[in-house]
Amino acid sequence: MGNLISGTKKSHRATITDHDRAVLSLKAQRKKMEDQSKLMEQRIAANTEVARELVAQKKKERALLALKKKRLSEHQLASIQAYLMNVEDMLSNMELTKQQGNVMAALKQGNDALKQAQQEMPLDDIQKLMDETAEAKEYQDKVQDVISGQLDDIDQKAVQDELRMLEEMAAAEEAAELPSPPTSEEQQKQKAAAEAVAAAAAVAAAAAAATAAAEPAAAEEGELE
């Protein structure tokens, strides 16, 4: 069981190519060169400071020695930076070459797919399909001519009118199925005002009816008294 799991893990590991190894090696060298470059810069700064202090102390010989060390470090730094630049150029060229290879592989794959598609639909089949389509259209035109020849002008007009009516009915059905457009804020306000007016009118009518009903009753009470 353990061997099976181990074998499965190994099969899923990405394959490391010679290109990957070369890139990894160059990046490792670049890291070393960057560290050495920083070290040279620190030495240059240190020797410069030492020389400045020795000059202030009037120790000319020792100051001259510090400046020579500084100069040597500067030459070493220039060499390191030149080598580092070469490494950077090499990495850039390798990356560009890899991208070009990927593009070429994609182009080849696309070309193969195009060839396969062309093989699946030969020119003879395309021509046959076009001929069959043309024949079908020609037959439909002949049927149309025969039907049209059997109808007089009145029938032709009736057919056109019926077609127009059917189109209008279809358009009306489509319009009915569409949701109604939302009312605007102004329309909503107007609707609310109309409802309020209607409610007030209803209240006034009810009050008037109540008053009219109360007057005869009052008159009867007066007569009884």
Side-chain angles (χ1 to χ4, degrees), residues 189-199:
K189 289 182 179 179
Q190 292 177 358
K191 182 179 179 181
E195 292 176 352
V197 171

Side-chain angles (χ1 to χ4, degrees), residues 52-79:
R52 185 181 296 110
E53 293 176 358
L54 292 174
V55 169
Q57 296 173 8
K58 305 299 183 181
K59 298 179 180 179
K60 182 178 178 180
E61 295 296 330
R62 295 183 60 185
L64 184 62
L65 179 60
L67 291 175
K68 289 180 179 180
K69 291 181 179 180
K70 174 193 171 185
R71 190 64 177 176
L72 179 61
S73 297
E74 289 175 346
H75 286 302
Q76 292 177 344
L77 177 61
S79 299

Side-chain angles (χ1 to χ4, degrees), residues 9 36 39 43 62 100 102 136 142 196 200 223:
K9 290 182 178 180
Q36 292 179 4
L39 179 60
R43 288 181 180 178
R62 295 183 60 185
Q100 290 175 346
N102 293 337
K142 289 181 179 180
E223 292 177 357

Side-chain angles (χ1 to χ4, degrees), residues 8-89:
T8 304
K9 290 182 178 180
K10 289 181 180 179
S11 62
H12 285 83
R13 290 179 180 176
T15 303
I16 299 177
T17 63
D18 293 337
H19 178 275
D20 297 332
R21 293 189 182 91
V23 170
L24 183 62
S25 177
L26 286 173
K27 288 183 177 180
Q29 292 297 324
R30 181 180 63 184
K31 183 63 172 58
K32 291 180 180 180
M33 293 298 101
E34 290 174 348
D35 294 339
Q36 292 179 4
S37 178
K38 292 179 181 179
L39 179 60
M40 290 299 105
E41 290 174 352
Q42 293 174 358
R43 288 181 180 178
I44 291 170
N47 287 325
T48 301
E49 184 64 24
V50 169
R52 185 181 296 110
E53 293 176 358
L54 292 174
V55 169
Q57 296 173 8
K58 305 299 183 181
K59 298 179 180 179
K60 182 178 178 180
E61 295 296 330
R62 295 183 60 185
L64 184 62
L65 179 60
L67 291 175
K68 289 180 179 180
K69 291 181 179 180
K70 174 193 171 185
R71 190 64 177 176
L72 179 61
S73 297
E74 289 175 346
H75 286 302
Q76 292 177 344
L77 177 61
S79 299
I80 293 171
Q81 289 179 344
Y83 184 79
L84 186 59
M85 186 177 296
N86 291 333
V87 172
E88 291 288 355
D89 291 340

Side-chain angles (χ1 to χ4, degrees), residues 113-192:
L114 180 60
K115 289 181 179 179
Q116 183 178 359
Q118 291 174 348
Q119 291 176 357
E120 292 175 355
M121 184 174 289
L123 292 177
D124 295 340
D125 293 344
I126 297 175
Q127 186 62 43
K128 182 179 178 182
L129 179 61
M130 293 179 65
D131 293 340
E132 291 177 353
T133 303
E135 291 177 358
K137 185 178 183 303
E138 183 179 358
Y139 177 78
Q140 183 64 31
D141 293 340
K142 289 181 179 180
V143 172
Q144 184 69 26
D145 293 339
V146 171
I147 295 175
S148 299
Q150 294 177 356
L151 300 177
D152 56 15
D153 295 339
I154 297 176
D155 292 331
Q156 294 285 357
K157 185 177 182 303
V159 170
Q160 293 294 332
D161 292 340
E162 185 177 0
L163 175 62
R164 189 179 305 106
M165 182 182 64
L166 292 175
E167 290 175 346
E168 292 175 355
M169 291 176 59
E173 291 177 356
E174 291 180 359
E177 293 177 355
L178 294 176
S180 59
T183 59
S184 63
E185 183 178 357
E186 186 64 26
Q187 291 174 337
Q188 292 177 356
K189 289 182 179 179
Q190 292 177 358
K191 182 179 179 181

Side-chain angles (χ1 to χ4, degrees), residues 104-117:
M104 292 300 296
L107 290 174
K108 184 178 183 302
Q109 184 178 3
N111 190 32
D112 294 340
L114 180 60
K115 289 181 179 179
Q116 183 178 359

